[in-house]
Amino acid sequence: MFQSAQAVLFDLDGTLIDSAPDLGAAVDQMRVARGLPSLPLEHYRPMAGAGARGMLGLAFGMTPEHPDFEAMKEEFFVTYENCMTERTRIFDGVVDMIAQLVALGIPWGVVTNKSSRFTDPLTAAMPLFATAGAIVSGNTTPHAKPHPEPLFEAARRLSIDPAQCVYVGDDERDIVAGLAAGMGTVAATYGYLGQQSDFSRWNAHLHIDSPIDLLKFLKSA
């Protein structure tokens, strides 16, 4: 499967960028504004890939069924929008990995469940994404991951058969979506849920402990 790979698609948060510091800071600001004590980043990091549901759950023990959840979610979104490029960084090795993919003539793109409300300004502000051939957000198609449709959309934008794409992510939903799309799947164990989950049970074709490991494997394949 990897021998026929002609493109690589990536999840965003926890795979290419570490956005946990800004996500955590946003929801922690909401805690402090309500007279609650600040919590360390390590408290928020494991659920950084779960968006507002994960952040509000950790900060306030709040589930989507709570009557105030929608109002709190919008407050979190606005707070995050105001700080989402202040502390977010690119994971070590990602810049080199992308540069080498480009040098090899291998198209690449992003498929994330993050809303385009955040994806578009965030990726526009980071030079890393200038060479991405496709950026598909959680609301780009009628379905989000683990449904395969966002991956199919990215493959269409790259004009490459899904079976000739590889998808890399740090969440089990990424692997489920990739497998459903017929893609080669790679679990990024350096990411958020990769650190907390038994990723060996995700049935990914490959596990990598650093971004550059992907490039080594593609070259060897």
Side-chain angles (χ1 to χ4, degrees):
M1 182 171 287
F2 290 96
Q3 289 177 339
S4 62
Q6 295 186 16
V8 183
L9 301 172
F10 299 92
D11 176 45
L12 183 62
D13 301 81
T15 301
L16 294 178
I17 64 171
D18 181 7
S19 53
D22 282 326
L23 289 163
V27 78
D28 204 60
Q29 180 178 325
M30 293 171 62
R31 275 183 59 89
V32 173
R34 288 164 171 80
L36 297 171
S38 176
L39 297 173
L41 171 61
E42 289 69 27
H43 179 79
Y44 300 112
R45 180 176 291 280
M47 291 299 288
R53 176 179 55 82
M55 293 295 99
L56 293 175
L58 288 172
F60 299 102
M62 180 177 287
T63 67
E65 292 72 35
H66 193 285
D68 296 330
F69 183 82
E70 290 301 317
M72 291 285 281
K73 181 174 73 171
E74 181 56 28
E75 181 182 342
F76 170 68
F77 284 166
V78 171
T79 306
Y80 175 58
E81 278 180 314
N82 291 331
C83 72
M84 65 181 177
T85 60
E86 292 182 7
R87 307 164 190 82
T88 293
R89 68 178 186 88
I90 300 167
F91 279 113
D92 292 342
V94 166
V95 171
D96 185 38
M97 174 187 66
I98 295 299
Q100 292 195 49
L101 286 177
V102 172
L104 291 168
I106 298 175
W108 72 282
V110 174
V111 180
T112 174
N113 274 0
K114 205 181 194 80
S115 170
S116 58
R117 173 179 178 177
F118 312 109
T119 306
D120 291 348
L122 184 59
T123 56
M126 304 181 78
L128 172 74
F129 298 97
T131 57
I135 297 180
V136 176
S137 299
N139 60 328
T140 301
T141 72
H143 304 281
K145 298 174 297 183
H147 197 283
E149 182 55 31
L151 294 177
F152 289 143
E153 175 63 19
R156 286 192 290 267
R157 294 187 181 190
L158 295 178
S159 299
I160 293 178
D161 189 322
Q164 294 177 316
C165 296
V166 171
Y167 187 50
V168 185
D170 71 307
D171 189 306
E172 187 174 10
R173 291 171 298 178
D174 300 325
I175 305 307
V176 171
L179 292 172
M183 298 183 178
T185 55
V186 181
T189 63
Y190 58 85
Y192 300 141
L193 293 190
Q195 296 172 340
Q196 301 293 325
S197 302
D198 183 3
F199 54 82
S200 64
R201 301 173 67 92
W202 296 358
N203 296 318
H205 294 101
L206 177 70
H207 305 141
I208 58 172
D209 295 325
S210 69
I212 209 65
D213 287 345
L214 174 67
L215 202 63
K216 294 176 182 177
F217 187 82
L218 289 175
K219 287 182 175 179
S220 65

